[in-house]
Amino acid sequence: MVDTQTLWDQLNALERHVAPTYAALADYVREAPVLGADETTWKLMEPGKTKTWWAWGLTRPDAVIYEIRGSRSGATAESVLNGFDGIVLCDGYGAYRTLTTARGDRAGRR
């Protein structure tokens, strides 16, 4: 059996190697003129409790990225979109509407 600290150390080491590739992929996804966006719950098990996080997904026809965040607020949506200025295809969740209103985007009038 491998203890949890060993697994964590391995994941931490792996992250240092894949982080530049993930960053380049995220930039590529956000360069698309149209993105799909969605978020869903992600349960994080901690000793004695379960905490709900959110898995945010951004998609374009040929690529997808995911980010795990502790919230699904409008501020989190803005952070996940990271300055994206194109068209976002999404459901009616209020965080996206908040962004549209705050930015004064033309999309809010469609």
Side-chain angles (χ1 to χ4, degrees):
M1 184 166 140
V2 179
D3 76 34
T4 57
Q5 185 61 52
T6 300
L7 290 173
W8 179 253
D9 291 344
Q10 291 173 342
L11 286 172
N12 210 9
L14 178 62
E15 187 272 338
R16 288 193 299 271
H17 293 284
V18 300
T21 301
Y22 179 83
L25 179 62
D27 288 345
Y28 174 73
V29 167
R30 289 184 183 103
E31 288 171 358
V34 178
L35 286 183
D38 199 17
E39 71 295 322
T40 190
T41 57
W42 181 275
K43 300 291 185 185
L44 179 63
M45 303 299 287
E46 295 180 11
K49 64 180 176 179
T50 302
K51 182 174 181 180
T52 299
W53 287 62
W54 299 92
W56 291 77
L58 297 179
T59 63
R60 63 181 282 164
D62 59 348
V64 62
I65 60 168
Y66 296 97
E67 295 189 13
I68 305 298
R69 301 293 180 95
S71 169
R72 72 188 284 234
S73 69
T76 302
E78 177 138 24
S79 175
V80 168
L81 288 167
N82 194 24
F84 178 72
D85 196 30
I87 296 169
V88 177
L89 300 175
C90 58
D91 58 20
Y93 178 58
Y96 301 110
R97 242 177 283 127
T98 300
L99 285 177
T100 300
T101 302
R103 291 177 169 182
D105 286 345
R106 63 191 179 282
R109 294 189 296 268
R110 290 186 183 157

